[in-house]
Amino acid sequence: MSIEPVKVGMAEFKTALPPLSLITIGLGSCVGVCLWDSLIKIGGMAHIMLPDSTQSRIVQNRAKFADTGVPLLIEEMLKLGANRARLIAKIAGGAQMFNFPGSSNAMRIGERNAEAVKKCLEQERIRLIAEDIGGNFGRTIEFFTDNGNLFIKTINKGQKRI
Amino acid sequence: MKDFYELNELQLDALKEISNIGAGNAATSLSQMLGRKINMSVPNANIAPFPNIVDFVGGAEIEVAGGYLRVDGEMPMGILFMIPKEQVFYFLDLLFGNPIGTCTNWDEMKQSAFKEIVNILAGSYLNALSVFTNQVYSPSVPAQANDMAGAILGEVLQQIGEVSDHALVVENIFIEQERQIKGHFFLLPEPKTMELLLKYLGVL
């Protein structure tokens, strides 16, 4: 019997309980933030697209930005019974897919996403215990809610578990 | 300023029409380049929320070649051309006059050929836009990425992500004599560009 993982699309966030896993397919410069409470075994994943909501004119979807998406995921998990002190974080993504000659700051968005997510986790006092960030390749990530393992698959750069 | 999802049927039709003409120009250029007839389907124009956009190209995980360029100036926008890996290799075999199946991986020569194709396609599109809007567009040199469709799209959509949760996707299918080459063209006008575009087209 195989169980379909819960899909987290671009600028979305979801939570899940065992035996379900959470998956984001094809992360490029976006960052996948995974949170896990080891005691009650609840997992959450957010697909963060941009670093900073204050740069945006209209914020319709809080999950899209690091500074609003990370707190949103934490809130949701606390609501479902997770304990802040037990939460751990793993993050992946933040690549740069396109390399323009003489590329400007605006194109280094993967790096900025990763920085913003880390800063936000620190402010929220969530421990970041593993990361797989950067490079110029896409990642598919699957987060297992029973043991907190994060599997990362790529096309040419192999796969790993963090 | 409008978000994309507020566009009405008439406005979408107008954008489709530009696209039709743009793709027509592009098909002609491709025919000349490949020395054989390339047709194209009637384009689809869709406004879709970010999580659904990747469905248009067959899912986030499929391996594609993406060519992306930016147009700056009065009417900033991004243009992305995406095509599945095996189909782009077919394309390149035609272009280099090799037996089909010769091309199986990328090298510098093929990358520059692909970028040139993207350049020509984008140029043809922008020419159609110029006729309607009386503007001159100067696109950047294209950048290329070969990876999962979702990863490539994500980076491109970030460019409009600060102002929108939706994007306009124009889908063009190019048809070579023997097989369909499903190339997807994404025209990603920034919202202010969209407004100007609609104004020039007389549908605002």
Side-chain angles (χ1 to χ4, degrees):
Chain A
M1 192 185 78
S2 78
I3 304 160
E4 280 287 300
V6 177
K7 268 195 186 171
V8 184
M10 208 176 287
E12 288 182 334
F13 79 101
K14 302 257 173 72
T15 58
L17 294 167
L20 294 175
S21 61
L22 292 150
I23 191 167
T24 279
I25 299 168
L27 266 179
S29 45
C30 298
V31 172
V33 180
C34 306
L35 299 181
W36 190 57
D37 181 320
S38 58
L39 187 72
I40 64 163
K41 304 218 184 304
I42 184 172
M45 185 186 280
H47 184 150
I48 302 289
M49 212 175 159
L50 291 161
D52 187 1
S53 68
T54 61
Q55 299 295 311
S56 175
R57 216 168 21 84
I58 24 156
V59 181
Q60 287 160 326
N61 175 10
R62 288 172 66 200
K64 189 161 63 177
F65 303 94
D67 63 333
T68 48
V70 173
L72 186 65
L73 181 62
I74 295 170
E75 263 167 48
E76 182 65 20
M77 292 188 65
L78 297 184
K79 227 185 279 171
L80 293 168
N83 178 305
R84 184 184 287 265
R86 280 197 307 263
L87 282 182
I88 52 128
K90 296 184 178 184
I91 63 174
Q96 184 178 340
M97 305 303 298
F98 288 103
N99 192 6
F100 279 99
S103 61
S104 64
N105 195 37
M107 290 306 294
R108 286 179 31 248
I109 208 151
E111 215 176 300
R112 284 163 50 215
N113 274 336
E115 278 166 21
V117 163
K118 285 186 199 175
K119 193 176 137 207
C120 193
L121 286 170
E122 208 179 292
Q123 278 167 356
E124 296 281 343
R125 297 176 193 284
I126 305 292
R127 276 178 302 142
L128 175 64
I129 63 163
E131 61 178 72
D132 182 40
I133 291 291
N136 60 353
F137 50 90
R139 294 166 171 90
T140 286
I141 63 169
E142 185 168 6
F143 190 48
F144 291 87
T145 54
D146 49 357
N147 56 17
N149 279 338
L150 181 62
F151 277 89
I152 298 158
K153 275 192 287 185
T154 66
I155 287 177
N156 290 316
K157 306 280 174 184
Q159 44 182 304
K160 62 163 107 171
R161 187 183 72 189
I162 62 170
Chain B
M1 271 191 259
K2 283 173 165 255
D3 195 356
F4 298 110
Y5 68 92
E6 294 169 52
L7 294 181
N8 61 36
E9 258 332 282
L10 183 68
Q11 292 169 328
L12 267 181
D13 279 346
L15 292 170
K16 257 188 238 184
E17 186 51 29
I18 298 192
S19 198
N20 214 349
I21 295 166
N25 288 351
T28 308
S29 311
L30 274 183
S31 301
Q32 285 164 358
M33 190 159 63
L34 299 175
R36 51 172 82 200
K37 185 105 185 86
I38 303 286
N39 288 312
M40 50 128 204
S41 67
V42 177
N44 280 318
N46 290 291
I47 305 289
F50 288 160
N52 301 355
I53 285 173
V54 79
D55 296 336
F56 288 100
V57 295
E61 208 155 30
I62 68 159
E63 202 177 336
V64 299
Y68 177 53
L69 44 85
R70 301 263 327 142
V71 180
D72 294 322
E74 289 289 297
M75 295 173 71
M77 64 183 105
I79 292 178
L80 172 70
F81 180 64
M82 246 167 50
I83 177 168
K85 186 182 164 192
E86 39 323 328
Q87 297 193 10
V88 73
F89 286 163
Y90 174 74
F91 223 98
L92 290 171
D93 278 333
L94 289 180
L95 186 66
F96 287 115
N98 291 330
I100 302 308
T102 308
C103 178
T104 53
N105 53 27
W106 289 102
D107 58 29
E108 212 157 298
M109 172 94 131
K110 287 172 201 144
Q111 301 238 21
S112 42
F114 177 72
K115 282 189 213 168
E116 193 46 35
I117 293 173
V118 174
N119 231 341
I120 289 169
L121 290 177
S124 312
Y125 249 82
L126 291 172
N127 277 343
L129 277 187
S130 292
V131 171
F132 282 103
T133 58
N134 269 323
Q135 294 273 333
V136 179
Y137 300 94
S138 41
S140 71
V141 175
Q144 184 184 0
N146 309 304
D147 215 301
M148 305 169 196
I152 290 175
L153 258 179
E155 183 150 327
V156 168
L157 293 176
Q158 277 164 347
Q159 304 299 316
I160 55 168
E162 271 172 14
V163 281
S164 181
D165 290 319
H166 297 73
L168 167 71
V169 185
V170 178
E171 177 183 66
N172 284 115
I173 300 173
F174 295 99
I175 302 155
E176 197 264 340
Q177 284 143 330
E178 284 142 48
R179 59 167 99 183
Q180 283 198 2
I181 300 177
K182 234 186 191 186
H184 285 83
F185 223 87
F186 293 82
L187 197 59
L188 300 154
E190 289 182 9
K192 74 164 183 183
T193 307
M194 174 77 90
E195 209 160 86
L196 281 170
L197 216 52
L198 296 172
K199 209 172 101 194
Y200 285 124
L201 292 170
V203 288
L204 189 67

